[in-house]
């Protein structure tokens, strides 16, 4: 298994909904979390009560643009809002 960096999204709040807040979170991640070349970036939703597709879409767009789609991974979650947001974004 290759190198990986886990980012706990609960540090940005328990309820993550607005596009602007998602962009700010992504910029913070990009500025302070410096993955090594080829290292996977795993987004951990543990502790997050609710996430909206606008917030998540912004985070994914910024990180995937910077590091590539294949390196940014959303860890499995039983949280319905995470599951539904990912479904909406995959369309």
């Amino acid at each position: 298994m290759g190198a990986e960096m886990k980012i706990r999204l609960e540090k940005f709040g328990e309820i993550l909904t607005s596009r602007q807040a998602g962009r700010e979170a992504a910029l913070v991640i990009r500025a302070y979390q410096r993955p090594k070349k080829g290292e996977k970036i795993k987004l951990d939703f543990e502790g997050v009560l609710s996430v909206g597709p606008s917030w998540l879409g912004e985070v994914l767009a910024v990180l995937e643009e910077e590091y590539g789609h294949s390196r940014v991974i959303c860890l499995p979650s039983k949280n319905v809002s995470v599951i539904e947001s990912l479904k909406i974004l995959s369309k």
Side-chain angles (χ1 to χ4, degrees):
M1 186 171 170
E4 59 186 53
M5 171 187 294
K6 185 189 282 189
I7 298 172
R8 294 187 55 105
L9 297 178
E10 74 173 336
K11 68 182 174 183
F12 298 104
E14 292 181 335
I15 299 174
L16 309 170
T17 55
S18 79
R19 184 172 304 282
Q20 181 61 35
R23 180 154 185 76
E24 290 171 9
L27 295 175
V28 167
I29 292 168
R30 195 171 73 182
Y32 295 105
Q33 303 290 324
R34 308 301 283 174
K36 296 179 179 108
K37 185 174 182 169
E39 188 174 40
K40 302 272 187 205
I41 301 159
K42 294 191 172 186
L43 303 179
D44 183 0
F45 295 91
E46 186 176 335
V48 173
L49 300 178
S50 179
V51 65
S54 296
W55 189 94
L56 186 55
E58 274 303 311
V59 169
L60 292 176
V62 170
L63 296 180
E64 288 175 355
E65 181 180 319
E66 180 79 15
Y67 303 112
H69 178 74
S70 64
R71 289 181 61 193
V72 180
I73 298 165
C74 293
L75 291 175
S77 174
K78 293 181 181 177
N79 184 317
V80 175
S81 69
V82 173
I83 295 165
E84 292 302 316
S85 291
L86 287 170
K87 281 183 189 176
I88 290 167
L89 294 171
S90 70
K91 291 181 182 179

